């Protein structure tokens, strides 16, 4: 039976960041990924936004790791020449009844250490983005966008340069006491590890069951995106006031300037990435609240992603959970939805601390 020092389960952006940090700290690291490519699930099905840290409850892991992670990610992208842009974002109130929500967000952001957020008038917002319709807005200059695939390739490259090994199409089906791991597929195998980092995303709670007996329950919240034909008349990201379960049908840009809208929120019981064209009708209505000039017929179904929630529909938003369950050498990451991409480097730092790795 093969034995390794450290196994990282999952090669999404967080698993790769963790593997990089552990390998650079001197660990012998093997990354086991169920899919046939890195970042094939949550990490490749998001908005690629570098979040500022505005939305999360003060004192939460999401708040702290997002604010610290945002700055760390900008530094990392600049150092490694990863395509990114600090484009900024406007969060808009389209009617007076929504202005209190913006004020609440502003207070929360300042409590989280977001020190550059500015409350501006509707006129000031329209001077920045003439096609916008709103009565007030928050301007977040530290929000940005990043090429997530280039980021993941960079993290993997540094991990491998430090000795880490990646095994694709190798699904871990069980983690048993003593860190005995079983993989599925055509050639199942078993291996034993001294440490295990469970960064398995949607599958993380199930993989902890045999070790802990009481992992959190996972829930699936699907989000669909629609893409815009032609170029959008916006230079910044545009977000409406948040909605239960998500951040509303917002406008994000890729590094080429192409606009996409979403994600919406649909609680589902199974994985299904199909985007129903009929959902576009509601997208038009939501978008035209802040962009009345959206042309008819300009939206096309894009792609979808599924958030790895650990709270059910109707419950307050859950925090990141990074837990050892009292088992030395074990670290499980649960509920790593947004802002997981932004916080990937600081999440990796939290794992190294839990495993008492040298920095």
């Amino acid at each position: 039976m093969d034995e390794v020092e450290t196994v990282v389960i999952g090669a999404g952006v967080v698993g790769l960041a963790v593997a990089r940090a552990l390998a650079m700290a001197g660990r012998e690291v093997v990354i086991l990924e169920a899919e046939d490519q890195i970042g094939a699930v949550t990490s490749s099905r998001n908005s690629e936004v570098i979040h500022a840290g505005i939305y999360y409850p003060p004192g939460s892991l999401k708040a702290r790791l997002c604010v610290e992670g945002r700055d760390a990610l900008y530094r990392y992208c600049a150092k490694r020449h990863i395509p990114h842009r600090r484009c900024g974002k406007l969060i808009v109130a389209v009617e007076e009844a929504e202005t209190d929500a913006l004020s609440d967000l502003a207070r929360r952001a300042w409590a989280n250490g977001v020190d550059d957020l500015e409350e501006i008038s509707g006129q000031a917002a329209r001077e920045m983005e003439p096609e916008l319709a709103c009565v007030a807005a928050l301007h977040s200059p530290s929000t940005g966008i990043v090429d997530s695939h280039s980021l993941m390739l960079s993290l993997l490259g540094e991990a491998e340069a430090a000795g880490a090994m990646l095994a694709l199409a190798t699904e871990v089906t069980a983690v048993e006491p003593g860190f005995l791991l079983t993989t599925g597929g055509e050639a199942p195998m078993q291996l034993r590890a001294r440490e295990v980092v469970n960064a398995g995303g949607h599958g993380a709670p199930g993989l902890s069951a045999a070790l802990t007996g009481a992992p959190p329950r996972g829930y699936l919240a699907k989000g669909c995106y629609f893409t815009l034909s032609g170029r959008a008349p916006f230079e910044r990201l545009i977000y409406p006031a948040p909605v239960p379960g998500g951040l509303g049908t917002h406008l994000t840009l890729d590094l080429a300037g192409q606009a996409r809208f979403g994600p919406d929120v649909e609680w589902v019981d199974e994985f299904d990435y199909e985007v129903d064209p009929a959902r576009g009708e509601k997208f038009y209505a939501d978008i035209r609240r802040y962009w009345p000039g959206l042309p008819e017929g300009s939206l096309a179904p894009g792609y979808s992603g599924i958030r790895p929630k650990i709270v059910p529909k109707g419950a307050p938003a859950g925090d990141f959970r990074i837990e050892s369950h009292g088992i030395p050498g074990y670290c499980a990451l649960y509920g790593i939805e947004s802002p997981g991409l932004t916080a990937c480097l600081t999440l990796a730092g939290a794992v190294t601390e839990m495993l008492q790795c040298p920095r």
Side-chain angles (χ1 to χ4, degrees):
M1 181 185 300
D2 291 331
E3 295 190 12
V4 298
E5 183 174 15
T6 304
V7 168
V8 175
I9 302 171
V13 67
V14 173
L16 293 172
V18 168
R20 167 188 174 269
L22 295 176
M24 293 178 72
R27 294 294 208 270
E28 175 199 29
V29 177
V30 174
I31 312 162
L32 302 180
E33 167 56 47
E35 304 295 329
D36 59 4
Q37 57 185 316
I38 63 172
V41 187
T42 308
S43 296
S44 63
R45 295 177 172 274
N46 56 52
S47 301
E48 298 187 301
V49 172
I50 301 176
H51 288 286
I54 296 167
Y55 297 94
Y56 319 110
S60 66
L61 280 177
K62 282 185 176 181
R64 178 172 65 84
L65 296 181
C66 181
V67 172
E68 296 173 5
R70 172 201 71 196
D71 296 337
L73 187 55
Y74 278 127
R75 290 192 299 268
Y76 183 79
C77 289
K79 179 180 179 181
R80 297 284 294 174
H81 305 290
I82 295 164
H84 70 289
R85 182 158 63 93
R86 197 187 294 246
C87 56
K89 172 172 73 175
L90 291 172
I91 308 172
V92 300
V94 299
E95 54 188 54
E96 290 294 338
E98 296 175 342
T99 57
D100 287 346
L102 293 194
S103 297
D104 290 343
L105 277 181
R107 287 190 290 270
R108 178 176 293 187
W110 281 98
N112 289 343
V114 182
D115 57 8
D116 60 354
L117 191 69
E118 181 183 8
E119 296 185 70
I120 62 175
S121 67
Q123 179 179 344
R126 289 188 295 275
E127 289 173 357
M128 299 170 72
E129 299 287 1
E131 293 288 324
L132 192 60
C134 65
V135 298
L138 299 176
H139 176 221
S140 170
S142 57
T143 299
I145 52 178
V146 63
D147 182 336
S148 59
H149 189 65
S150 294
L151 172 61
M152 288 188 285
L153 287 175
S154 177
L155 295 169
L156 175 60
E158 288 194 294
E160 291 180 329
M165 294 178 289
L166 170 65
L168 296 171
T170 306
E171 180 183 9
V172 177
T173 57
V175 183
E176 300 177 53
F179 297 154
L180 178 65
L181 286 77
T182 302
T183 67
E186 296 181 359
M189 66 175 182
Q190 287 189 318
L191 71 159
R192 193 174 296 277
R194 278 188 259 169
E195 298 174 326
V196 173
V197 178
N198 178 358
H202 294 284
L207 288 174
S208 289
L211 288 176
T212 70
R217 179 179 174 183
Y219 302 88
L220 307 179
K222 182 177 178 179
C224 292
Y225 294 83
F226 279 71
T227 58
L228 178 72
S229 62
R231 192 172 183 88
F234 297 98
E235 296 295 326
R236 297 162 185 83
L237 312 186
I238 309 296
Y239 281 52
V243 299
L247 301 183
T249 304
H250 50 264
L251 179 156
T252 61
L253 303 167
D254 64 20
L255 290 162
Q258 182 67 43
R260 55 196 168 198
F261 296 90
D264 58 1
V265 181
E266 178 187 6
W267 294 84
V268 296
D269 296 323
E270 58 186 23
F271 283 86
D272 173 13
Y273 292 120
E274 182 179 355
V275 179
D276 182 358
R279 299 185 74 83
E281 183 176 346
K282 186 174 188 304
F283 272 69
Y284 279 104
D286 289 346
I287 296 163
R288 283 177 173 149
R289 295 187 71 235
Y290 58 82
W291 181 22
L294 173 67
E296 187 66 32
S298 60
L299 298 182
Y303 62 97
S304 70
I306 298 179
R307 306 166 181 88
K309 296 278 190 181
I310 52 173
V311 295
K313 179 180 180 180
D319 199 4
F320 293 155
R321 287 176 59 177
I322 307 171
E323 298 187 11
S324 69
H325 296 284
I327 303 170
Y330 189 64
C331 182
L333 297 103
Y334 306 121
I336 311 300
E337 52 176 329
S338 181
L341 173 64
T342 304
C344 65
L345 296 173
T346 42
L347 281 163
V351 172
T352 63
E353 290 178 4
M354 181 169 285
L355 297 179
Q356 298 181 335
C357 295
R359 304 300 289 274

